[in-house]
Amino acid sequence: EVQLAESGGGLVQAGGSLRLSCTSSGMTFDDYALGWFRQAPGKERERVAGISANSDDTYYSNGVKGRFTISRDNAKNTVYLQMNNLKPEDTAVYYCAAAWPSLGVFMTKGGIDYWGRGTQVTVSS
């Protein structure tokens, strides 16, 4: 069974930082673009950040660009999301996602092959 397991969520004050991690099992990690979505109550799920299989390309939504950094360590089957200068509007459940084989596919509606269960990020004002 393919699993993506997120960790690192929690409660942080505005302006603070948090690092999310997502570790995969049951899949060939470096065949996939990886990234993060988030969903806040009453809102659609939003694509936040993505990274290509070999880390040569990244994507960030306009709302997080300059504050969030995505990275991956293929040797550890882990993708990270470093979140700095967090804002209350960043509050959401953050989901790890994998798309075979490219960041382009990750950016395509319906392109996600696997999802994590999500980790809650709450930013207080």
Side-chain angles (χ1 to χ4, degrees), residues 5-54:
E6 302 100 333
S7 63
L11 175 64
V12 65
Q13 292 189 352
S17 297
L18 215 54
R19 189 180 75 157
L20 305 183
S21 299
C22 170
T23 299
S24 73
S25 60
M27 58 179 269
T28 303
F29 187 79
D30 61 2
D31 283 347
Y32 290 81
L34 272 296
W36 298 88
F37 289 69
R38 67 186 182 187
Q39 189 165 27
K43 293 188 176 181
E44 290 188 350
R45 188 168 294 190
E46 174 193 13
R47 186 181 287 102
V48 174
I51 187 166
S52 62
N54 64 0

Side-chain angles (χ1 to χ4, degrees), residues 3-96:
Q3 293 188 10
L4 301 175
E6 302 100 333
S7 63
L11 175 64
V12 65
Q13 292 189 352
S17 297
L18 215 54
R19 189 180 75 157
L20 305 183
S21 299
C22 170
T23 299
S24 73
S25 60
M27 58 179 269
T28 303
F29 187 79
D30 61 2
D31 283 347
Y32 290 81
L34 272 296
W36 298 88
F37 289 69
R38 67 186 182 187
Q39 189 165 27
K43 293 188 176 181
E44 290 188 350
R45 188 168 294 190
E46 174 193 13
R47 186 181 287 102
V48 174
I51 187 166
S52 62
N54 64 0
S55 299
D56 65 351
D57 200 11
T58 57
Y59 161 82
Y60 300 96
S61 69
N62 289 337
V64 309
K65 195 172 298 181
R67 298 188 298 118
F68 290 10
T69 302
I70 190 168
S71 62
R72 64 192 290 167
D73 185 341
N74 287 350
K76 295 182 178 180
N77 290 345
T78 300
V79 62
Y80 305 95
L81 187 66
Q82 178 67 46
M83 305 184 294
N84 296 328
N85 191 24
L86 283 160
K87 304 176 183 294
E89 53 262 44
D90 296 318
T91 295
V93 177
Y94 283 70
Y95 298 91
C96 181

Side-chain angles (χ1 to χ4, degrees), residues 8-12 18 20 119-123:
L11 175 64
V12 65
L18 215 54
L20 305 183
T119 185
Q120 177 71 48
V121 172
T122 302
V123 184

